Amino acid sequence: MKVGGIMQENRYGLPTAIAMIVGIVIGSGIFFKSDNILIATNGSIKLGILVFIVAALGIIFGSLSIAELASRNSEVGGVITYAEYSLNKEFACAFGWFHTFLYYPTIIVVVSWVTGIYGCMLFGLEESLEVQILIGTIIMSLIFLFNILSFRLSGYFQNAATVIKIIPLIIIAIVGLFFGNPQSITGEHVNAFTQTKWISAIAPIAFSFDGWIVSTSIGHEIKDSKKNLPKALIIAPIFILIIYVLYFVGISTYVGVENVMALGDSHVNVAANSIFGVYGAKLILIFIIISIMGTVNGLIIGYIRMPYSLAIRHMFPKAKSLSKINDKYKMPILSVFLVMAISLFWMIVHYITVKFNMLENSDISEISITINYVLYIVFYIKVIRMGISKEVKGIFKGFINPCLAIVGSLIILFGSIGNSLFFVYAFICMLVILSAVMFYKKNKIKV
């Protein structure tokens, strides 16, 4: 059995690590969540910017804290390794199961579905949920297969998609800032800040920023990982915040707050048509679709390694089979097909929740993201303990930074509990986590 093999080669450099984070995070969220944010802030751009910064700071401090763990660990598994290092093997197993069955697949299916939304706009197809889901499922399946056939091409596509996806964001941001209506910012009603509804904007913003942690799944494949991965975890989130705020202000002032809220996901297409005309808008839509596909690709790069990472630790059923590396494709093929099947299951669940409007102004991925940030608190506490023991030098790195990261996670949690199915879904998450712990203890694993 070939357990380590090619999966542990140093394939990716710092630019690819940064591109992976930026490429996953900037992709779909900002394009189809801007209207959700404005609805939650009652049309207030200023409040939207403030919530962006609050949510982003929690994420930036979180990435800074996890960078401390990344600088000390470069083993296969990323967050699984950090979970074991931060607490114990049971928590590592639970974290891995949560990511395998809930976190990754729910985000992947939602983002894949968005390719269907913009694909319908591009080709003038019927914008029914069924057509959108079909296109999203086809795109998602093809990207899974693409990652099996060539990891190098997958990495190149990730870099190219990252550059392409920034183009429409910057163009719309510049046009909006120079040709938009500044009155939509300065003329806002003050009472927007006194209402509590804006707190729900944190959930879609957390979605827009999520994905940076996925880069840790290929930490063992990054050149000089202990130096380059922490750098990527610091540089990428700050860059993303700047791009997001500029785009959010640009699209809101150019299209108009009321129009963005009324048009929903199609507000980007309206802006593109207004700026570039029909054919130019088609080109922008192509850029956006490539951008979203880059997000799906980056998520899948991380996801296909998750069962493999658990299997080599004997933390997953059928570990011997799942940990085998295919000599031809240099990939754990069974691991890939397993996560592909899980994703297809969640695509069906996503279809049902959207069809019957079970998650108003939300989707199945947002609660997974929230629970994920709650679980990160264990990592942040570990960094505080390392600061106390002087393993992490300096009061900022060893105390202030992880404390602010904890506050950030709690803010994201507070902003998500208003979701109608939050506690039901949270209960499902707890069942998966408990099942993982029971599996580990029952098999009396010693790694």
Side-chain angles (χ1 to χ4, degrees):
M1 182 176 68
K2 193 174 181 181
V3 174
I6 194 73
M7 287 291 288
Q8 295 185 0
E9 289 183 2
N10 299 129
R11 306 170 176 177
Y12 308 113
L14 177 60
T16 299
I18 294 173
M20 185 175 181
I21 298 172
V22 175
I24 293 170
V25 175
I26 298 179
S28 61
I30 191 62
F31 291 121
F32 82 104
K33 292 291 186 180
S34 293
D35 55 306
N36 302 81
I37 295 165
L38 285 172
I39 290 170
T41 60
N42 198 29
S44 172
I45 298 175
K46 284 187 283 190
L47 189 52
I49 295 170
L50 177 62
V51 181
F52 257 113
I53 293 171
V54 169
L57 286 177
I59 292 162
I60 289 169
F61 288 124
S63 63
L64 286 169
S65 297
I66 290 179
E68 294 296 329
L69 301 178
S71 67
R72 290 164 173 79
N73 296 277
S74 58
E75 297 177 24
V76 174
V79 291
I80 300 175
T81 301
Y82 307 155
E84 183 176 340
Y85 181 66
S86 299
L87 193 59
N88 53 40
K89 289 182 172 63
E90 286 89 344
F91 180 64
C93 183
F95 208 110
W97 279 43
F98 169 73
H99 270 215
T100 300
F101 291 107
L102 297 168
Y103 175 72
Y104 274 106
T106 56
I107 300 174
I108 287 170
V109 301
V110 170
V111 178
S112 298
W113 166 60
V114 178
T115 63
I117 293 174
Y118 290 109
C120 288
M121 294 179 192
L122 177 64
F123 297 108
L125 301 175
E126 178 189 357
E127 294 185 27
S128 67
L129 177 61
E130 287 74 18
V131 175
Q132 294 167 352
I133 291 288
L134 177 61
I135 294 173
T137 302
I138 292 171
I139 293 294
M140 180 183 74
S141 301
L142 289 175
I143 294 176
F144 268 113
L145 297 175
F146 180 62
N147 272 272
I148 293 176
L149 295 174
S150 177
F151 66 82
R152 286 190 177 86
L153 287 178
S154 177
Y156 294 149
F157 176 70
Q158 194 62 37
N159 291 343
T162 300
V163 175
I164 289 171
K165 69 181 54 188
I166 294 172
I167 294 172
L169 287 171
I170 293 177
I171 291 173
I172 292 175
I174 292 172
V175 171
L177 291 171
F178 283 96
F179 301 102
N181 178 19
Q183 283 295 111
S184 56
I185 301 176
T186 58
E188 291 175 356
H189 298 295
V190 178
N191 65 3
F193 291 84
T194 63
Q195 298 177 356
T196 57
K197 184 183 176 183
W198 65 268
I199 295 171
S200 62
I202 292 173
I205 289 175
F207 179 96
S208 299
F209 270 99
D210 199 59
W212 53 271
I213 194 67
V214 177
S215 62
T216 63
S217 66
I218 62 163
H220 59 288
E221 298 173 67
I222 294 174
K223 297 171 185 176
D224 199 4
S225 175
K226 291 185 178 181
K227 290 184 179 179
N228 286 331
L229 184 54
K231 287 179 183 177
L233 286 169
I234 294 168
I235 294 169
I238 295 172
F239 174 77
I240 292 162
L241 172 62
I242 295 169
I243 293 290
Y244 271 9
V245 170
L246 290 175
Y247 172 82
F248 177 70
V249 173
I251 194 74
S252 300
T253 55
Y254 187 75
V255 177
V257 170
E258 296 296 332
N259 288 331
V260 171
M261 292 191 290
L263 290 166
D265 299 330
S266 63
H267 70 270
V268 179
N269 191 34
V270 171
N273 270 285
S274 177
I275 297 169
F276 305 103
V278 176
Y279 294 107
K282 294 288 185 185
L283 181 61
I284 292 297
L285 281 176
I286 290 171
F287 281 2
I288 290 173
I289 290 170
I290 293 173
S291 148
I292 298 169
M293 288 173 64
T295 297
V296 178
N297 183 64
L299 287 165
I300 287 175
I301 286 175
Y303 189 27
I304 58 179
R305 289 157 173 80
M306 190 56 63
Y308 167 82
S309 299
L310 288 165
I312 62 174
R313 293 171 169 82
H314 302 285
M315 293 179 174
F316 208 79
K318 305 294 182 181
K320 185 175 180 180
S321 298
L322 287 170
S323 60
K324 287 182 179 179
I325 303 296
N326 182 278
D327 291 327
K328 180 179 179 180
Y329 297 107
K330 313 302 180 185
M331 278 283 172
I333 300 297
L334 286 179
S335 177
V336 178
F337 284 120
L338 172 64
V339 296
M340 188 174 175
I342 294 170
S343 298
L344 290 171
F345 165 79
W346 277 107
M347 185 65 83
I348 295 171
V349 175
H350 175 61
Y351 169 75
I352 293 169
T353 57
V354 175
K355 183 73 174 178
F356 297 101
N357 196 28
M358 297 171 68
L359 295 166
E360 187 178 356
N361 203 37
S362 181
D363 56 61
I364 57 172
S365 66
E366 289 184 3
I367 306 175
S368 290
I369 291 168
T370 298
I371 299 298
N372 201 45
Y373 277 106
V374 173
L375 294 175
Y376 288 163
I377 292 175
V378 175
F379 297 162
Y380 306 149
I381 292 172
K382 174 63 176 179
V383 175
I384 293 173
R385 288 165 53 201
M386 291 164 67
I388 293 172
S389 66
K390 305 300 181 183
E391 186 178 348
V392 173
K393 308 296 181 183
I395 189 170
F396 179 78
K397 287 185 175 181
F399 184 75
I400 296 175
N401 187 47
C403 283
L404 291 173
I406 291 172
V407 171
S409 290
L410 294 176
I411 288 172
I412 292 171
L413 173 63
F414 185 62
S416 300
I417 56 177
N419 189 305
S420 59
L421 292 179
F422 177 83
F423 291 105
V424 174
Y425 193 87
F427 177 72
I428 294 172
C429 292
M430 291 304 104
L431 285 179
V432 170
I433 289 170
L434 287 174
S435 297
V437 173
M438 290 172 63
F439 172 83
Y440 184 87
K441 289 184 175 181
K442 181 180 178 181
N443 288 274
K444 297 180 180 180
I445 301 165
K446 295 181 180 180
V447 180

